[in-house]
């Protein structure tokens, strides 16, 4: 709770050192592994998305990331996706695209996060995944592309 307050209270995050925020990040991420605390922590993190997103993205890029933490970060990015700035979307898309081919997590989980982020730059990646050897990945890719096409067709168009 104290670690979360460093992020969520407006005057707290700016008044503490980077080391304290890093410690708070580690505490929060480790608490996500505890099933009893997870819903509360995730909800709190999503509520403070403008402060949390940069930290989640920095953690995602950390090389010595454990599988459990990685899975949690990918889920958080999936949930934060619509709230990310364009720069954050681009960074998250790059990192998740790399992670997709590392095969440390189920690829459909990473695809879901990429789709939720909604960066159009993944279209060539999705197109290439239509020929993936894994049928689950191909099916998920078709679902994602179908949703993207439907969303694009139903979006209001500017009058010329």
């Amino acid at each position: 709770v104290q670690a979360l307050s460093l992020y969520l209270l407006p005057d707290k995050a700016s008044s503490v050192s980077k080391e304290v925020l890093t410690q708070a990040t580690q505490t929060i991420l480790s608490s996500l592994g505890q099933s009893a605390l997870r819903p509360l922590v995730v909800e709190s993190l999503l509520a403070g998305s403008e402060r949390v997103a940069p930290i989640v993205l920095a953690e995602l890029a950390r090389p010595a990331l454990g599988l459990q933490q990685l899975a949690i970060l990918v889920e958080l990015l999936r949930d934060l996706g619509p709230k990310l700035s364009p720069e954050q979307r681009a960074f998250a898309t790059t990192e998740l695209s790399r992670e997709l081919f590392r095969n440390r997590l189920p690829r459909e989980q990473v695809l879901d996060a990429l789709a939720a982020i909604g960066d159009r730059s993944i279209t060539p990646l999705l197109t290439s995944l239509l020929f993936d050897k894994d049928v689950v990945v191909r099916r998920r890719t078709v679902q994602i592309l179908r949703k993207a096409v439907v969303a694009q067709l139903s979006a209001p168009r500017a009058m010329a």
Side-chain angles (χ1 to χ4, degrees):
V1 175
Q2 288 175 340
L4 282 173
S5 74
L6 291 174
Y7 291 110
L8 303 179
L9 298 177
D11 57 340
K12 292 285 186 182
S14 61
S15 65
V16 296
S17 69
K18 186 173 181 169
E19 293 79 25
V20 171
L21 284 176
T22 300
Q23 262 186 327
T25 300
Q26 294 303 318
T27 302
I28 291 167
L29 291 175
S30 67
S31 69
L32 285 170
Q34 300 173 22
S35 59
L37 294 176
R38 190 173 185 166
L40 171 67
V41 175
V42 167
E43 191 62 36
S44 298
L45 288 172
L46 293 176
S49 62
E50 67 281 347
R51 288 204 177 106
V52 172
I55 289 142
V56 169
L57 291 169
E59 283 295 304
L60 183 64
R62 201 165 51 93
L65 198 59
L67 288 181
Q68 183 180 14
Q69 280 187 323
L70 176 62
I72 290 167
L73 290 173
V74 169
E75 287 179 25
L76 278 172
L77 282 172
R78 180 199 61 212
D79 295 341
L80 288 169
K83 298 177 181 182
L84 297 175
S85 71
E87 296 81 19
Q88 291 170 334
R89 285 174 191 245
F91 183 81
T93 298
T94 300
E95 290 299 318
L96 289 172
S97 296
R98 288 181 187 146
E99 192 56 51
L100 184 67
F101 294 104
R102 289 182 186 135
N103 292 318
R104 297 191 298 167
L105 292 177
R107 293 169 70 204
E108 59 274 13
Q109 181 181 357
V110 179
L111 279 171
D112 287 344
L114 282 165
I117 290 168
D119 191 332
R120 287 184 162 188
S121 69
I122 67 164
T123 305
L125 171 66
L126 293 175
T127 304
S128 72
L129 290 174
L130 290 172
F131 303 99
D132 194 87
K133 63 182 178 187
D134 186 346
V135 69
V136 175
V137 170
R138 290 194 311 264
R139 284 183 185 154
R140 188 64 53 96
T141 301
V142 167
Q143 292 168 349
I144 291 168
L145 286 169
R146 185 177 295 136
K147 284 181 185 178
V149 168
V150 168
Q152 187 174 4
L153 291 175
S154 64
R157 298 187 191 271
M159 298 299 280

